Amino acid sequence: MFPIVMAGFFSGWAQAWGQSIGGIALAVIGMVLIMIEIVIPGFGAAGISGGIALIAGLILGSAGSITYAMFSLLIIVALLIIFAVIVFRSALKGKLSRSPVVLNTSIEAGS
């Protein structure tokens, strides 16, 4: 019984997102802007704009169902967390640690 209910949920979720190209576009643009903010922190313009675009995309793409919106948000947050872990790991040990974006020097307290 449970797999049948889940199959119905996933088909409804995919159908709701399939009807909204604008919602998909806004959600993707929002994720990209948030990823830019993770890699290149600034004043937060990209992060705030990304958050607004992501919320607008969820509203448009969920077809009015709060359940679909929450499930979509769960997937997006999981993807952003995975991306952030990869970026932070690269900043500590990978290619990003050798780039001029990451500060490798420190200032002594007595200086």
Side-chain angles (χ1 to χ4, degrees):
M1 173 96 176
F2 183 71
I4 294 171
V5 172
M6 291 305 294
F9 172 79
F10 284 122
S11 67
W13 176 75
Q15 187 177 23
W17 273 99
Q19 295 175 355
S20 175
I21 300 299
I24 292 171
L26 280 172
V28 169
I29 289 170
M31 282 183 34
V32 168
L33 286 172
I34 291 173
M35 288 177 183
I36 289 171
E37 185 69 30
I38 290 172
V39 174
I40 307 170
F43 293 109
I48 292 170
S49 300
I52 291 170
L54 197 57
I55 290 170
L58 285 174
I59 291 170
L60 289 175
S62 64
S65 171
I66 191 72
T67 307
Y68 293 156
M70 288 297 143
F71 182 71
S72 302
L73 184 63
L74 179 70
I75 291 172
I76 290 169
V77 167
L79 289 173
L80 289 174
I81 289 172
I82 290 169
F83 179 77
V85 167
I86 291 169
V87 168
F88 292 141
R89 183 178 170 119
S90 178
L92 294 175
K93 300 177 183 176
K95 273 187 169 181
L96 193 59
S97 66
R98 295 182 292 276
S99 77
V101 175
V102 177
L103 181 63
N104 291 323
T105 59
S106 61
I107 299 174
E108 297 294 325
S111 306

